[in-house]
Amino acid sequence: MFPIRDHNPSERTPYVTYLLIALNIVVFGYQYGVLLDIPSSNQFMIDYAFWPILLDNGEGFTGLFTHMFLHAGFLHLAGNMLFLWVFGDNMEDELGHLPFLAFYIVSGLAAAYLQYLPAPESVVPMVGASGAIAGVMGGYLLLFPRARVDVFIFFIVFFRILPIPSYIVLGLWMALQVFNGLGSDPSGGGTAYWAHVGGFVAGFVLTVPLWIKRGGQRFWAQTDGRPPHPETHYPRSNIPVVRRRR
């Protein structure tokens, strides 16, 4: 089960979202080329992945940032970019281009740090944009808890696309990360569940000031937690605006 699109119009062209997707693809293409040479591949990962053990020794600070643009394989990249495509444009629309970029990076840093905390001496490198993208999802949940998200459900030979409220899709996703995180060894390999949790919580918290500026619970009451219709007005700043569908 994974989201493929949302029913949430955005006003601005999401240039930063497009840039992040393109940058991740370009870096992966370079990484794939490097992977044809095993010694170079190892050095590439050493240089740019996030290594908890290095941070614990007061080193490897650049990996906190650069790990967000590395991926372990094509499916890893494709899944992350799909989530960023679905939820990123709306958060960029709400925050603005440069604030969204800062929001994304801070969420990714928070994700890496929470993965580091339970196992600071881990020698397993961490790569992937999923922590930063989890921050985007956390902010999206706060602003649009009842936005409809089309979810692709596949079971053996049966598949279907269902529109499901985002609070169910994202709430279940977050609960699954916590559940799996509690049952896994943070110093081992595999999925960095606590990075997902850290990014999600950071994104949610970072969005609270915007949510309050919009009116908090009054914003939810006005929009019913859904994306505003074209005729719905609410203040992006102090001037009411009309959101239009794309």
Side-chain angles (χ1 to χ4, degrees):
M1 181 176 91
F2 56 91
I4 57 174
R5 61 177 174 262
D6 66 343
H7 298 268
N8 195 346
S10 59
E11 231 176 35
R12 317 178 204 220
T13 301
Y15 294 114
V16 173
T17 299
Y18 294 159
L19 176 63
L20 288 170
I21 292 173
L23 184 57
N24 275 278
I25 292 173
V26 168
V27 171
F28 181 77
Y30 176 74
Q31 182 184 358
Y32 180 78
V34 171
L35 288 177
L36 298 178
D37 184 303
I38 299 302
S40 296
S41 169
N42 292 338
Q43 190 61 48
F44 189 85
M45 295 297 289
I46 290 172
D47 290 342
Y48 298 109
F50 170 58
W51 296 80
I53 185 64
L54 291 182
L55 187 64
D56 194 48
N57 292 330
E59 305 173 27
F61 291 99
T62 56
L64 288 168
F65 172 77
T66 56
H67 84 277
M68 300 182 222
F69 301 96
L70 301 177
H71 288 85
F74 176 76
L75 292 180
H76 188 203
L77 172 72
N80 280 344
M81 294 306 98
L82 175 61
F83 275 70
L84 180 56
W85 173 266
V86 172
F87 301 109
D89 64 325
N90 298 113
M91 288 304 297
E92 183 175 349
D93 190 30
E94 297 300 325
L95 292 167
H97 302 304
L98 291 181
F100 173 72
L101 179 59
F103 170 91
Y104 181 92
I105 293 172
V106 171
S107 294
L109 293 174
Y113 191 67
L114 188 60
Q115 185 67 27
Y116 160 81
L117 283 178
E121 297 181 356
S122 173
V123 295
V124 177
M126 186 175 79
V127 297
S130 54
I133 296 169
V136 175
M137 295 160 63
Y140 189 102
L141 175 62
L142 178 60
L143 292 179
F144 304 114
R146 298 189 66 184
R148 291 286 175 174
V149 178
D150 285 347
V151 175
F152 181 83
I153 299 175
F154 177 80
F155 182 72
I156 306 178
V157 296
F158 167 83
F159 71 89
R160 190 171 182 181
I161 297 175
L162 296 176
I164 301 175
S166 65
Y167 76 89
I168 295 179
V169 177
L170 299 179
L172 285 176
W173 182 88
M174 177 60 169
L176 186 62
Q177 306 313 302
V178 174
F179 177 80
N180 288 331
L182 292 173
S184 65
D185 179 5
S187 65
T191 304
Y193 294 111
W194 291 117
H196 296 169
V197 174
F200 192 95
V201 172
F204 189 96
V205 171
L206 289 170
T207 308
V208 168
L210 175 62
W211 178 70
I212 293 174
K213 183 179 179 180
R214 293 282 189 268
Q217 291 185 344
R218 288 186 288 107
F219 173 68
W220 278 348
Q222 185 178 2
T223 63
D224 194 28
R226 295 183 173 90
H229 294 292
E231 66 274 10
T232 301
H233 298 261
Y234 71 91
R236 186 181 293 281
S237 56
N238 292 323
I239 302 175
V241 297
V242 180
R243 294 174 64 89
R244 60 181 180 273
R245 293 190 178 277
R246 56 185 176 187

Short mmCIF file of all heavy atoms in Angstrom, two decimals, residues 162-225:
data_model
loop_
_atom_site.label_atom_id
_atom_site.label_comp_id
_atom_site.label_asym_id
_atom_site.label_seq_id
_atom_site.Cartn_x
_atom_site.Cartn_y
_atom_site.Cartn_z
N LEU A 162 -7.60 3.57 -3.96
CA LEU A 162 -8.63 4.10 -3.08
C LEU A 162 -8.24 5.49 -2.58
O LEU A 162 -7.09 5.70 -2.18
CB LEU A 162 -8.84 3.18 -1.87
CG LEU A 162 -9.35 1.77 -2.15
CD1 LEU A 162 -9.41 0.98 -0.83
CD2 LEU A 162 -10.74 1.81 -2.78
N PRO A 163 -9.18 6.45 -2.57
CA PRO A 163 -8.91 7.76 -1.94
C PRO A 163 -9.13 7.66 -0.43
O PRO A 163 -10.22 7.31 0.03
CB PRO A 163 -9.94 8.67 -2.61
CG PRO A 163 -11.08 7.77 -2.99
CD PRO A 163 -10.47 6.42 -3.26
N ILE A 164 -8.10 7.92 0.33
CA ILE A 164 -8.14 7.77 1.78
C ILE A 164 -7.67 9.08 2.42
O ILE A 164 -6.73 9.70 1.94
CB ILE A 164 -7.23 6.61 2.24
CG1 ILE A 164 -7.69 5.29 1.59
CG2 ILE A 164 -7.22 6.47 3.75
CD1 ILE A 164 -6.78 4.11 1.88
N PRO A 165 -8.33 9.53 3.51
CA PRO A 165 -7.88 10.77 4.18
C PRO A 165 -6.43 10.67 4.61
O PRO A 165 -5.96 9.62 5.05
CB PRO A 165 -8.82 10.87 5.38
CG PRO A 165 -10.04 10.11 4.98
CD PRO A 165 -9.54 8.98 4.13
N SER A 166 -5.72 11.78 4.51
CA SER A 166 -4.29 11.76 4.80
C SER A 166 -4.00 11.40 6.25
O SER A 166 -2.95 10.81 6.54
CB SER A 166 -3.66 13.11 4.47
OG SER A 166 -4.16 14.14 5.31
N TYR A 167 -4.92 11.73 7.19
CA TYR A 167 -4.62 11.39 8.58
C TYR A 167 -4.58 9.88 8.78
O TYR A 167 -3.87 9.38 9.67
CB TYR A 167 -5.63 12.05 9.53
CG TYR A 167 -7.00 11.42 9.58
CD1 TYR A 167 -7.29 10.38 10.47
CD2 TYR A 167 -8.02 11.87 8.76
CE1 TYR A 167 -8.55 9.81 10.53
CE2 TYR A 167 -9.29 11.32 8.82
CZ TYR A 167 -9.55 10.28 9.70
OH TYR A 167 -10.81 9.73 9.75
N ILE A 168 -5.29 9.12 7.95
CA ILE A 168 -5.22 7.67 8.03
C ILE A 168 -3.95 7.17 7.37
O ILE A 168 -3.20 6.36 7.95
CB ILE A 168 -6.46 7.03 7.37
CG1 ILE A 168 -7.74 7.40 8.15
CG2 ILE A 168 -6.30 5.51 7.29
CD1 ILE A 168 -9.01 6.83 7.54
N VAL A 169 -3.67 7.65 6.16
CA VAL A 169 -2.49 7.21 5.43
C VAL A 169 -1.22 7.54 6.21
O VAL A 169 -0.37 6.66 6.46
CB VAL A 169 -2.44 7.87 4.04
CG1 VAL A 169 -1.15 7.47 3.31
CG2 VAL A 169 -3.65 7.48 3.21
N LEU A 170 -1.08 8.80 6.61
CA LEU A 170 0.14 9.24 7.27
C LEU A 170 0.19 8.77 8.72
O LEU A 170 1.27 8.48 9.25
CB LEU A 170 0.26 10.76 7.19
CG LEU A 170 0.33 11.31 5.76
CD1 LEU A 170 0.42 12.84 5.76
CD2 LEU A 170 1.51 10.72 5.00
N GLY A 171 -0.96 8.72 9.37
CA GLY A 171 -0.99 8.22 10.75
C GLY A 171 -0.58 6.77 10.83
O GLY A 171 0.21 6.37 11.71
N LEU A 172 -1.09 5.94 9.91
CA LEU A 172 -0.71 4.53 9.89
C LEU A 172 0.77 4.36 9.54
O LEU A 172 1.46 3.52 10.12
CB LEU A 172 -1.57 3.76 8.88
CG LEU A 172 -3.01 3.48 9.30
CD1 LEU A 172 -3.77 2.80 8.17
CD2 LEU A 172 -3.06 2.60 10.55
N TRP A 173 1.24 5.19 8.61
CA TRP A 173 2.65 5.12 8.24
C TRP A 173 3.53 5.44 9.44
O TRP A 173 4.50 4.72 9.71
CB TRP A 173 2.93 6.10 7.10
CG TRP A 173 4.34 6.07 6.61
CD1 TRP A 173 4.86 5.26 5.65
CD2 TRP A 173 5.43 6.87 7.08
NE1 TRP A 173 6.20 5.51 5.47
CE2 TRP A 173 6.58 6.50 6.35
CE3 TRP A 173 5.54 7.88 8.04
CZ2 TRP A 173 7.82 7.09 6.54
CZ3 TRP A 173 6.79 8.46 8.25
CH2 TRP A 173 7.90 8.07 7.50
N MET A 174 3.19 6.49 10.17
CA MET A 174 3.98 6.88 11.34
C MET A 174 3.91 5.80 12.42
O MET A 174 4.93 5.45 13.04
CB MET A 174 3.46 8.21 11.89
CG MET A 174 4.16 8.69 13.15
SD MET A 174 5.93 8.95 12.90
CE MET A 174 6.33 9.80 14.43
N ALA A 175 2.74 5.25 12.67
CA ALA A 175 2.59 4.19 13.67
C ALA A 175 3.44 2.98 13.30
O ALA A 175 4.06 2.35 14.17
CB ALA A 175 1.13 3.79 13.80
N LEU A 176 3.50 2.68 12.01
CA LEU A 176 4.30 1.54 11.55
C LEU A 176 5.79 1.79 11.78
O LEU A 176 6.53 0.87 12.16
CB LEU A 176 4.03 1.29 10.07
CG LEU A 176 4.69 0.04 9.45
CD1 LEU A 176 4.18 -1.22 10.14
CD2 LEU A 176 4.40 -0.01 7.95
N GLN A 177 6.23 3.03 11.59
CA GLN A 177 7.65 3.35 11.82
C GLN A 177 8.00 3.17 13.31
O GLN A 177 9.06 2.63 13.64
CB GLN A 177 7.97 4.78 11.38
CG GLN A 177 7.58 5.11 9.96
CD GLN A 177 8.00 4.07 8.95
OE1 GLN A 177 9.17 3.74 8.81
NE2 GLN A 177 7.01 3.55 8.21
N VAL A 178 7.14 3.65 14.18
CA VAL A 178 7.38 3.52 15.62
C VAL A 178 7.39 2.05 16.02
O VAL A 178 8.28 1.59 16.76
CB VAL A 178 6.33 4.30 16.42
CG1 VAL A 178 6.50 4.04 17.91
CG2 VAL A 178 6.43 5.80 16.14
N PHE A 179 6.39 1.31 15.54
CA PHE A 179 6.29 -0.12 15.88
C PHE A 179 7.53 -0.88 15.41
O PHE A 179 8.12 -1.66 16.17
CB PHE A 179 5.03 -0.70 15.24
CG PHE A 179 4.87 -2.19 15.46
CD1 PHE A 179 4.36 -2.67 16.66
CD2 PHE A 179 5.22 -3.09 14.46
CE1 PHE A 179 4.21 -4.04 16.87
CE2 PHE A 179 5.07 -4.45 14.66
CZ PHE A 179 4.57 -4.93 15.87
N ASN A 180 7.92 -0.66 14.17
CA ASN A 180 9.10 -1.35 13.64
C ASN A 180 10.38 -0.88 14.32
O ASN A 180 11.31 -1.67 14.53
CB ASN A 180 9.21 -1.14 12.14
CG ASN A 180 8.16 -1.93 11.37
OD1 ASN A 180 7.72 -2.98 11.80
ND2 ASN A 180 7.76 -1.41 10.22
N GLY A 181 10.43 0.41 14.66
CA GLY A 181 11.61 0.93 15.34
C GLY A 181 11.80 0.30 16.71
O GLY A 181 12.93 -0.03 17.10
N LEU A 182 10.71 0.11 17.43
CA LEU A 182 10.79 -0.52 18.75
C LEU A 182 11.21 -1.98 18.67
O LEU A 182 11.77 -2.52 19.62
CB LEU A 182 9.43 -0.41 19.46
CG LEU A 182 9.01 1.01 19.88
CD1 LEU A 182 7.58 0.99 20.41
CD2 LEU A 182 9.96 1.58 20.92
N GLY A 183 10.93 -2.60 17.53
CA GLY A 183 11.26 -4.03 17.39
C GLY A 183 12.54 -4.30 16.64
O GLY A 183 12.83 -5.45 16.33
N SER A 184 13.31 -3.26 16.32
CA SER A 184 14.53 -3.46 15.54
C SER A 184 15.75 -2.99 16.31
O SER A 184 15.64 -2.25 17.29
CB SER A 184 14.43 -2.70 14.21
OG SER A 184 14.38 -1.30 14.43
N ASP A 185 16.89 -3.41 15.84
CA ASP A 185 18.16 -3.01 16.43
C ASP A 185 18.67 -1.77 15.69
O ASP A 185 19.02 -1.86 14.52
CB ASP A 185 19.17 -4.14 16.31
CG ASP A 185 20.54 -3.78 16.89
OD1 ASP A 185 20.67 -2.68 17.48
OD2 ASP A 185 21.47 -4.60 16.76
N PRO A 186 18.69 -0.60 16.33
CA PRO A 186 19.11 0.62 15.62
C PRO A 186 20.56 0.61 15.18
O PRO A 186 20.96 1.41 14.34
CB PRO A 186 18.86 1.72 16.66
CG PRO A 186 18.91 1.03 17.98
CD PRO A 186 18.35 -0.35 17.73
N SER A 187 21.35 -0.30 15.74
CA SER A 187 22.76 -0.37 15.33
C SER A 187 22.96 -1.30 14.14
O SER A 187 24.07 -1.39 13.60
CB SER A 187 23.63 -0.85 16.50
OG SER A 187 23.29 -2.19 16.86
N GLY A 188 21.90 -2.01 13.74
CA GLY A 188 22.01 -2.94 12.63
C GLY A 188 21.66 -2.29 11.30
O GLY A 188 21.37 -1.10 11.21
N GLY A 189 21.65 -3.09 10.25
CA GLY A 189 21.31 -2.59 8.92
C GLY A 189 19.81 -2.57 8.71
O GLY A 189 19.02 -2.77 9.63
N GLY A 190 19.41 -2.30 7.47
CA GLY A 190 17.99 -2.25 7.15
C GLY A 190 17.44 -0.83 7.18
O GLY A 190 18.17 0.15 7.08
N THR A 191 16.14 -0.74 7.36
CA THR A 191 15.45 0.55 7.34
C THR A 191 15.74 1.36 8.60
O THR A 191 15.72 0.82 9.71
CB THR A 191 13.93 0.34 7.21
OG1 THR A 191 13.65 -0.44 6.04
CG2 THR A 191 13.20 1.67 7.12
N ALA A 192 16.00 2.64 8.41
CA ALA A 192 16.28 3.53 9.55
C ALA A 192 14.95 4.09 10.07
O ALA A 192 14.59 5.24 9.80
CB ALA A 192 17.21 4.66 9.12
N TYR A 193 14.25 3.28 10.84
CA TYR A 193 12.90 3.66 11.30
C TYR A 193 12.92 4.90 12.18
O TYR A 193 12.04 5.76 12.09
CB TYR A 193 12.26 2.50 12.05
CG TYR A 193 11.98 1.30 11.19
CD1 TYR A 193 12.70 0.11 11.35
CD2 TYR A 193 11.01 1.35 10.20
CE1 TYR A 193 12.45 -1.00 10.55
CE2 TYR A 193 10.75 0.24 9.39
CZ TYR A 193 11.48 -0.93 9.58
OH TYR A 193 11.23 -2.02 8.77
N TRP A 194 13.92 5.02 13.04
CA TRP A 194 13.94 6.18 13.94
C TRP A 194 14.26 7.46 13.19
O TRP A 194 13.87 8.55 13.62
CB TRP A 194 14.92 5.94 15.09
CG TRP A 194 14.43 4.89 16.02
CD1 TRP A 194 15.01 3.69 16.29
CD2 TRP A 194 13.21 4.93 16.79
NE1 TRP A 194 14.24 2.97 17.18
CE2 TRP A 194 13.14 3.70 17.50
CE3 TRP A 194 12.18 5.85 16.94
CZ2 TRP A 194 12.07 3.40 18.35
CZ3 TRP A 194 11.12 5.55 17.78
CH2 TRP A 194 11.07 4.34 18.46
N ALA A 195 14.94 7.36 12.07
CA ALA A 195 15.13 8.54 11.23
C ALA A 195 13.79 9.00 10.67
O ALA A 195 13.52 10.21 10.60
CB ALA A 195 16.10 8.22 10.08
N HIS A 196 12.95 8.06 10.28
CA HIS A 196 11.61 8.42 9.80
C HIS A 196 10.81 9.10 10.89
O HIS A 196 10.14 10.11 10.65
CB HIS A 196 10.88 7.16 9.33
CG HIS A 196 11.51 6.50 8.15
ND1 HIS A 196 11.13 5.25 7.70
CD2 HIS A 196 12.51 6.91 7.31
CE1 HIS A 196 11.85 4.93 6.65
NE2 HIS A 196 12.70 5.91 6.39
N VAL A 197 10.87 8.54 12.08
CA VAL A 197 10.14 9.14 13.21
C VAL A 197 10.66 10.54 13.51
O VAL A 197 9.88 11.49 13.69
CB VAL A 197 10.25 8.24 14.46
CG1 VAL A 197 9.61 8.93 15.68
CG2 VAL A 197 9.59 6.89 14.21
N GLY A 198 11.99 10.68 13.55
CA GLY A 198 12.58 11.98 13.86
C GLY A 198 12.22 13.03 12.82
O GLY A 198 11.90 14.17 13.17
N GLY A 199 12.29 12.66 11.54
CA GLY A 199 11.94 13.61 10.49
C GLY A 199 10.48 14.00 10.54
O GLY A 199 10.13 15.18 10.40
N PHE A 200 9.60 13.02 10.77
CA PHE A 200 8.16 13.27 10.82
C PHE A 200 7.81 14.23 11.97
O PHE A 200 7.08 15.21 11.79
CB PHE A 200 7.42 11.95 11.00
CG PHE A 200 5.93 12.02 10.78
CD1 PHE A 200 5.39 11.71 9.55
CD2 PHE A 200 5.08 12.39 11.80
CE1 PHE A 200 4.02 11.77 9.33
CE2 PHE A 200 3.71 12.45 11.61
CZ PHE A 200 3.17 12.15 10.36
N VAL A 201 8.35 13.95 13.15
CA VAL A 201 8.07 14.80 14.32
C VAL A 201 8.64 16.21 14.10
O VAL A 201 7.98 17.21 14.41
CB VAL A 201 8.66 14.17 15.59
CG1 VAL A 201 8.56 15.13 16.77
CG2 VAL A 201 7.93 12.87 15.92
N ALA A 202 9.84 16.29 13.53
CA ALA A 202 10.44 17.60 13.28
C ALA A 202 9.60 18.40 12.31
O ALA A 202 9.34 19.60 12.52
CB ALA A 202 11.86 17.42 12.73
N GLY A 203 9.14 17.76 11.23
CA GLY A 203 8.30 18.47 10.26
C GLY A 203 6.99 18.93 10.85
O GLY A 203 6.53 20.04 10.56
N PHE A 204 6.39 18.09 11.67
CA PHE A 204 5.14 18.45 12.33
C PHE A 204 5.35 19.68 13.22
O PHE A 204 4.59 20.65 13.17
CB PHE A 204 4.64 17.26 13.15
CG PHE A 204 3.25 17.43 13.71
CD1 PHE A 204 2.15 16.92 13.05
CD2 PHE A 204 3.05 18.09 14.91
CE1 PHE A 204 0.87 17.06 13.57
CE2 PHE A 204 1.78 18.25 15.44
CZ PHE A 204 0.68 17.73 14.77
N VAL A 205 6.40 19.63 14.05
CA VAL A 205 6.68 20.73 14.99
C VAL A 205 7.02 22.01 14.24
O VAL A 205 6.56 23.10 14.60
CB VAL A 205 7.80 20.33 15.95
CG1 VAL A 205 8.24 21.52 16.79
CG2 VAL A 205 7.34 19.19 16.86
N LEU A 206 7.82 21.91 13.19
CA LEU A 206 8.22 23.08 12.43
C LEU A 206 7.03 23.74 11.73
O LEU A 206 7.08 24.95 11.41
CB LEU A 206 9.27 22.70 11.38
CG LEU A 206 10.66 22.36 11.91
CD1 LEU A 206 11.52 21.78 10.78
CD2 LEU A 206 11.33 23.59 12.50
N THR A 207 5.97 22.98 11.49
CA THR A 207 4.80 23.51 10.80
C THR A 207 3.82 24.16 11.77
O THR A 207 2.92 24.90 11.35
CB THR A 207 4.09 22.39 10.01
OG1 THR A 207 5.06 21.73 9.18
CG2 THR A 207 3.00 22.93 9.10
N VAL A 208 3.96 23.90 13.06
CA VAL A 208 3.03 24.45 14.05
C VAL A 208 2.91 25.97 13.96
O VAL A 208 1.79 26.51 13.98
CB VAL A 208 3.42 24.00 15.48
CG1 VAL A 208 2.63 24.79 16.53
CG2 VAL A 208 3.16 22.51 15.65
N PRO A 209 4.03 26.74 13.86
CA PRO A 209 3.87 28.20 13.75
C PRO A 209 3.03 28.63 12.55
O PRO A 209 2.22 29.56 12.65
CB PRO A 209 5.31 28.71 13.63
CG PRO A 209 6.12 27.66 14.30
CD PRO A 209 5.44 26.36 13.97
N LEU A 210 3.19 27.95 11.41
CA LEU A 210 2.39 28.28 10.23
C LEU A 210 0.92 27.94 10.47
O LEU A 210 0.02 28.71 10.10
CB LEU A 210 2.91 27.51 9.02
CG LEU A 210 2.09 27.65 7.73
CD1 LEU A 210 2.08 29.10 7.26
CD2 LEU A 210 2.63 26.73 6.64
N TRP A 211 0.68 26.80 11.08
CA TRP A 211 -0.70 26.39 11.40
C TRP A 211 -1.37 27.40 12.33
O TRP A 211 -2.52 27.77 12.13
CB TRP A 211 -0.66 25.00 12.03
CG TRP A 211 -1.99 24.46 12.46
CD1 TRP A 211 -3.01 24.06 11.67
CD2 TRP A 211 -2.43 24.28 13.81
NE1 TRP A 211 -4.06 23.62 12.43
CE2 TRP A 211 -3.73 23.73 13.75
CE3 TRP A 211 -1.84 24.49 15.06
CZ2 TRP A 211 -4.46 23.43 14.89
CZ3 TRP A 211 -2.56 24.18 16.19
CH2 TRP A 211 -3.85 23.66 16.11
N ILE A 212 -0.63 27.88 13.33
CA ILE A 212 -1.17 28.89 14.25
C ILE A 212 -1.43 30.19 13.49
O ILE A 212 -2.46 30.85 13.70
CB ILE A 212 -0.20 29.12 15.42
CG1 ILE A 212 -0.13 27.86 16.30
CG2 ILE A 212 -0.63 30.33 16.25
CD1 ILE A 212 0.92 27.94 17.40
N LYS A 213 -0.50 30.56 12.59
CA LYS A 213 -0.68 31.77 11.81
C LYS A 213 -1.93 31.69 10.94
O LYS A 213 -2.63 32.69 10.73
CB LYS A 213 0.56 32.02 10.94
CG LYS A 213 0.51 33.29 10.12
CD LYS A 213 1.78 33.46 9.31
CE LYS A 213 1.73 34.73 8.48
NZ LYS A 213 2.96 34.92 7.68
N ARG A 214 -2.21 30.52 10.43
CA ARG A 214 -3.42 30.33 9.62
C ARG A 214 -4.69 30.38 10.47
O ARG A 214 -5.78 30.49 9.93
CB ARG A 214 -3.35 28.98 8.90
CG ARG A 214 -2.28 28.87 7.85
CD ARG A 214 -2.70 29.57 6.57
NE ARG A 214 -1.74 29.29 5.50
CZ ARG A 214 -0.69 30.03 5.21
NH1 ARG A 214 -0.45 31.12 5.92
NH2 ARG A 214 0.12 29.71 4.23
N GLY A 215 -4.55 30.26 11.78
CA GLY A 215 -5.72 30.29 12.65
C GLY A 215 -5.87 29.07 13.51
O GLY A 215 -6.83 28.97 14.28
N GLY A 216 -4.95 28.10 13.41
CA GLY A 216 -5.01 26.90 14.25
C GLY A 216 -6.28 26.11 14.01
O GLY A 216 -6.61 25.75 12.88
N GLN A 217 -7.01 25.86 15.06
CA GLN A 217 -8.23 25.08 14.94
C GLN A 217 -9.29 25.79 14.09
O GLN A 217 -10.11 25.13 13.45
CB GLN A 217 -8.79 24.77 16.33
CG GLN A 217 -7.92 23.81 17.13
CD GLN A 217 -8.55 23.43 18.45
OE1 GLN A 217 -9.48 24.08 18.92
NE2 GLN A 217 -8.02 22.38 19.06
N ARG A 218 -9.23 27.12 14.05
CA ARG A 218 -10.15 27.85 13.17
C ARG A 218 -9.86 27.56 11.70
O ARG A 218 -10.76 27.53 10.87
CB ARG A 218 -10.07 29.36 13.44
CG ARG A 218 -10.71 29.77 14.78
CD ARG A 218 -10.73 31.29 14.95
NE ARG A 218 -9.39 31.81 15.21
CZ ARG A 218 -8.68 32.49 14.33
NH1 ARG A 218 -9.17 32.72 13.11
NH2 ARG A 218 -7.48 32.94 14.64
N PHE A 219 -8.57 27.36 11.39
CA PHE A 219 -8.19 26.98 10.02
C PHE A 219 -8.76 25.61 9.68
O PHE A 219 -9.30 25.40 8.59
CB PHE A 219 -6.67 26.99 9.91
CG PHE A 219 -6.16 26.46 8.59
CD1 PHE A 219 -6.36 27.17 7.42
CD2 PHE A 219 -5.46 25.27 8.53
CE1 PHE A 219 -5.89 26.69 6.21
CE2 PHE A 219 -4.97 24.78 7.33
CZ PHE A 219 -5.19 25.50 6.17
N TRP A 220 -8.65 24.67 10.62
CA TRP A 220 -9.25 23.36 10.41
C TRP A 220 -10.76 23.47 10.24
O TRP A 220 -11.35 22.81 9.38
CB TRP A 220 -8.94 22.45 11.59
CG TRP A 220 -7.59 21.82 11.54
CD1 TRP A 220 -6.73 21.77 10.50
CD2 TRP A 220 -6.95 21.14 12.62
NE1 TRP A 220 -5.58 21.10 10.84
CE2 TRP A 220 -5.68 20.70 12.14
CE3 TRP A 220 -7.30 20.85 13.94
CZ2 TRP A 220 -4.79 19.99 12.93
CZ3 TRP A 220 -6.42 20.15 14.72
CH2 TRP A 220 -5.17 19.72 14.24
N ALA A 221 -11.39 24.28 11.09
CA ALA A 221 -12.84 24.42 11.03
C ALA A 221 -13.27 25.03 9.69
O ALA A 221 -14.29 24.64 9.11
CB ALA A 221 -13.34 25.28 12.19
N GLN A 222 -12.49 25.98 9.20
CA GLN A 222 -12.82 26.65 7.95
C GLN A 222 -12.67 25.72 6.76
O GLN A 222 -13.46 25.75 5.82
CB GLN A 222 -11.94 27.88 7.77
CG GLN A 222 -12.29 28.71 6.54
CD GLN A 222 -11.42 29.94 6.42
OE1 GLN A 222 -10.54 30.17 7.24
NE2 GLN A 222 -11.68 30.75 5.41
N THR A 223 -11.64 24.90 6.78
CA THR A 223 -11.37 24.01 5.65
C THR A 223 -11.82 22.58 5.89
O THR A 223 -11.74 21.75 4.98
CB THR A 223 -9.86 23.99 5.35
OG1 THR A 223 -9.16 23.44 6.48
CG2 THR A 223 -9.34 25.40 5.07
N ASP A 224 -12.28 22.28 7.11
CA ASP A 224 -12.64 20.91 7.49
C ASP A 224 -11.44 19.97 7.33
O ASP A 224 -11.60 18.78 7.07
CB ASP A 224 -13.83 20.41 6.67
CG ASP A 224 -14.45 19.14 7.27
OD1 ASP A 224 -14.36 18.97 8.50
OD2 ASP A 224 -15.02 18.33 6.51
N GLY A 225 -10.22 20.54 7.48
CA GLY A 225 -9.02 19.73 7.35
C GLY A 225 -8.71 19.28 5.95
O GLY A 225 -7.81 18.48 5.72
#
